[in-house]
Amino acid sequence: MPYQDQFWKGNLKTYKELLEHIGFKVNVLFGPESAGVKEWQQIPRANFNILISPWYGQSIVEHLQELYGQPFFKFPHIPIGANETEKFLAGVLEFARQYDTGIDYEKAQAYIKHESRAYYEEIDNLATFLLEFRYGLPNHVHVIHDAGYVVGLSKFLLHETGIVPKEQFIVDNTPDEFQQSIRMDMNNTSDKKKIPLVF
């Protein structure tokens, strides 16, 4: 969401690139990746919409579903790192199977595997460096952010860097009706311990 998230331009650019690489035609409504009014005019033609958020934007995709009969795929947090990005892309592909999208699923899967290998090669290089010079690196972390980032960052830090999330603080005034689903998403971060979450 522009100006709610300081990284919105880069996030939208990356989502668009990833989705286009697996075969989708993507309309981005805001920022430098948008074609402006032309993109907005395409809204009624979309096969479906994608919501990457635990709650903000939900009323918009529900309105589009009601107005144009467009279903929506929801990913409940920012996909940070390879694990969550793979889950996000696999979820979009599985959702798209229900609709006539013309996606080449084998080609899409090959792209995801290729990018994942490249990512883990870089992580492996970083891990080698960090293990050699681990002096002073934290072994646990507190995250203070909005609802979209807290869960995504916690999952990334725990599963891809080995840094254990302690209390996590959500500061975006999340409506009560969405707090339980965010707690469940956070509880799915670790099967070994519960990560405390404060709204």
Side-chain angles (χ1 to χ4, degrees):
M1 184 175 275
Y3 306 109
Q4 167 115 1
D5 174 3
Q6 64 268 37
F7 305 114
W8 70 274
K9 287 181 185 177
N11 287 345
L12 289 178
K13 181 177 191 283
T14 302
Y15 297 142
K16 182 173 182 169
E17 287 174 357
L18 287 170
L19 292 166
E20 286 179 342
H21 274 98
I22 61 174
F24 291 99
K25 182 180 183 318
V26 180
N27 295 309
V28 175
L29 303 179
F30 305 102
E33 298 303 311
S34 175
V37 174
K38 289 179 185 176
E39 300 254 21
W40 287 80
Q41 291 170 337
Q42 297 301 313
I43 290 173
R45 297 176 159 186
N47 290 87
F48 61 91
N49 296 300
I50 298 174
L51 175 65
I52 304 169
S53 164
W55 67 276
Y56 31 87
Q58 177 108 15
S59 61
I60 294 169
V61 292
E62 287 173 350
H63 178 70
L64 292 172
Q65 186 172 38
E66 186 179 313
L67 191 62
Y68 299 119
Q70 294 170 335
F72 64 91
F73 170 75
K74 178 178 178 179
F75 197 77
H77 55 268
I78 305 289
I80 301 172
N83 288 338
E84 293 304 305
T85 302
E86 286 178 33
K87 285 180 191 172
F88 165 67
L89 293 174
V92 172
L93 284 170
E94 188 58 36
F95 189 82
R97 281 187 189 273
Q98 303 169 54
Y99 308 99
D100 186 22
T101 58
I103 298 294
D104 181 337
Y105 292 96
E106 286 183 25
K107 186 176 177 184
Q109 292 294 342
Y111 171 77
I112 293 168
K113 285 180 185 171
H114 174 270
E115 291 300 303
S116 183
R117 276 194 306 270
Y119 172 84
Y120 282 115
E121 184 178 320
E122 290 304 313
I123 288 289
D124 188 46
N125 292 339
L126 177 62
T128 301
F129 172 80
L130 290 177
L131 286 173
E132 204 164 317
F133 301 100
R134 191 158 172 97
Y135 310 112
L137 289 177
N139 61 3
H140 67 274
V141 65
H142 301 274
V143 177
I144 302 172
H145 215 304
D146 67 41
Y149 275 95
V150 166
V151 177
L153 284 168
S154 295
K155 288 177 185 270
F156 169 74
L157 290 167
L158 180 63
H159 298 294
E160 297 191 42
T161 69
I163 298 173
V164 178
K166 296 289 188 178
E167 293 85 8
Q168 306 297 289
F169 299 90
I170 292 177
V171 295
D172 64 359
N173 205 17
T174 304
D176 292 342
E177 65 264 27
F178 295 102
Q179 290 184 13
Q180 184 58 33
S181 64
I182 295 167
R183 284 188 195 285
M184 288 173 49
D185 195 16
M186 180 63 84
N187 288 339
N188 290 333
T189 299
S190 173
D191 57 357
K192 294 192 167 90
K193 69 174 266 191
K194 186 175 179 181
I195 298 170
L197 186 61
V198 179
F199 289 91

